[in-house]
Amino acid sequence: MVENDECKGEAKEEAKAKVTPWEVRGVVDYDELVVRFGTTRLEGATKRRLVELAGEDHWMLRRDIFYSHRDLDTILDRQSKGKPWALYTGRGPSGHTHLGHVTPWMFNKWLQDRFRVPMFFQLTDDEKFVFNPELTLEKTHEYALENALDFLALGFDPKLTKVVIDTDLIRTMYPIALRAAKRITFSTARAVFGFTNENNIGQLFYTSMQSVPAFLPSALAGEEVPTLIPAAIDQDAHFRITRDVAPHLGYPKPALLHCKLLPSLLGGDKMSASDPESSIYTTDKPKVVRKKLMNAFTGGRVSVEEQRRLGANPDICPVFWYEHYLFETDDAKLADIERRCRSGELLCGEHKLALYAKVEKWLEHHQSERERIRAHLDDFMMKD
Ligand code: TRP
């Protein structure tokens, strides 16, 4: 059975922010998560090596948006020796894609560009079906296809990128999922995910499906091809299990790169899929985007007069965070926005309009790309 190295000490941290693959609640203390999950901060020599091997820096590294990892050095070692490795990331298709999902995907795209490695993109229509009482399998499959367009619209290389939809690729996936499942006890799954007697058994089994793409590159090649999984840190729970079972199945443990979650436009934490006002969807029309941004929470003052006098607070401001995570990649320009915000020179209404212009420009391009890709979607699908 699984030794459970990385699954120790779960489910006893009720008072802290809740960060599970299904729910992120409370104010997330990302430093504390590193300790609680037992990951390693992305810093120092490892971070420098990543940048060196990539041949350039990335704003999500400089700004600690990707800020934690497991075993990244094993991948960097392989990269320096010219040995193969692959990228794996994914999405649970419970609805349309929003900018919170796009954040780690952009970084994945950069990694593929820099290292020219295969990418496996998993769409877990099975997961969202068993976890969401409202969703039918037809619907989650439909969202899977729509979400795939958003991923591919970012420009992943058609020669190196495969999309895996769980229910479509099940013949290939099931034998590997079963081998993983046989190594995961109920006790481990319950400790890691907090399952109770009320959970359905599809939910219990699901984590074994999320392990599969971590092993697929090795299974397909018939040799060790470890994966690097860049994902939001809330997914770490699944991959602690994946890493525990890997050696028992004869596969290398996947390495992980963790990012922070794009905050809600309404203030607080992760964008909530249940509140469309909290985030911008890739399918939103300009009018809707504008309205969402104009209604966003800010770190501003109650009056213009007060803001001019006292300045605003970007530390708690989603409008500023959108710049920081996605829309102002130039550090000097970001610093200038911050300075003007703190000094009261930049008013929130003005800033919202400036951000809207950037978001709209990005969305226009993205929306045309996702329609262009539609005709080629089938070429990216991995088939049994
Ligand atoms: N469970 C993820 C979600 O709910 C989807 C997913 C599957 C995923 N495989 C992944 C996310 C790999 C990141 C990396 O969205």
Side-chain angles (χ1 to χ4, degrees), residues 308-372:
R308 291 281 189 223
R309 189 156 49 83
L310 301 169
N313 181 7
D315 301 337
I316 57 158
C317 180
V319 177
F320 183 75
W321 285 332
Y322 266 54
E323 303 271 23
H324 175 88
Y325 273 74
L326 290 167
F327 291 102
E328 188 46 81
T329 61
D330 179 322
D331 289 350
K333 287 188 183 156
L334 186 73
D336 190 56
I337 292 172
E338 182 176 346
R339 182 192 56 75
R340 289 190 295 129
C341 175
R342 286 194 199 281
S343 70
E345 191 181 321
L346 180 62
L347 297 176
C348 299
E350 253 178 89
H351 192 192
K352 284 174 167 178
L353 285 175
L355 177 63
Y356 169 70
K358 292 183 194 173
V359 175
E360 200 29 52
K361 189 168 157 225
W362 185 87
L363 272 182
E364 202 182 292
H365 174 75
H366 183 82
Q367 288 173 356
S368 93
E369 276 302 287
R370 87 192 281 288
E371 289 316 310
R372 190 182 62 76

Side-chain angles (χ1 to χ4, degrees), residues 21 88-92 122 124 127-128 206 210 229-231 235 238-239:
Y88 157 36
T89 197
R91 152 97 178 118
Q122 180 181 34
T124 57
E127 176 190 17
K128 294 300 146 173
Y206 167 70
Q210 188 154 328
I229 312 172
Q235 294 300 309
H238 286 295
F239 300 121

